[in-house]
Amino acid sequence: MELKEGMYVRFNNGIIAKCVKNVNNYYSFDNELDSYGTMIIENGNVNDEYFFKNFKSSYNIIDLIEVGDYVNGFLVKEVRREIIGLGVIIFDNGISIWEQNIRSIVTKEQFESMSYKVGE
């Protein structure tokens, strides 16, 4: 799949970033959803296995959110498209939000990689 500027990408390690530049199949990403600021990944081309193995991409960020991720600080229980074409996220506490209200995402892979397991 060819990535294009403006597409969001969910890498195999759970990082979500937006493709901000595509020059001769060399991509730069701005991880504008990272609470620590901007992360730039430069010169990761389509043959780079670390960045481009089993990735998902879409122009709509909601297409990359999965059950078990955290959006706006809440655990995602369900992600679906409504009849009117808008995406909705339902949290484990029963609250739901529309896709345009997404402010932050922590993927389940990121959450697991940062967690400390007591007794191990």
Side-chain angles (χ1 to χ4, degrees), residues 1 11 23 54 78 81 84 114:
M1 168 183 232
F11 296 103
V23 178
N54 301 321
E78 183 181 349
R81 288 264 172 214
I84 55 177
M114 297 298 292

Side-chain angles (χ1 to χ4, degrees), residues 102-119:
I102 297 170
R103 300 290 176 253
S104 65
I105 301 168
V106 177
T107 64
K108 56 190 169 196
E109 294 88 356
Q110 290 173 306
F111 189 82
E112 289 170 5
S113 73
M114 297 298 292
S115 64
Y116 173 76
K117 307 244 187 321
V118 178

Side-chain angles (χ1 to χ4, degrees), residues 85-103:
L86 293 176
V88 65
I89 299 170
I90 300 170
F91 301 117
D92 65 337
N93 60 6
I95 296 173
S96 62
I97 65 165
W98 295 104
E99 62 186 303
Q100 67 266 24
N101 295 320
I102 297 170
R103 300 290 176 253

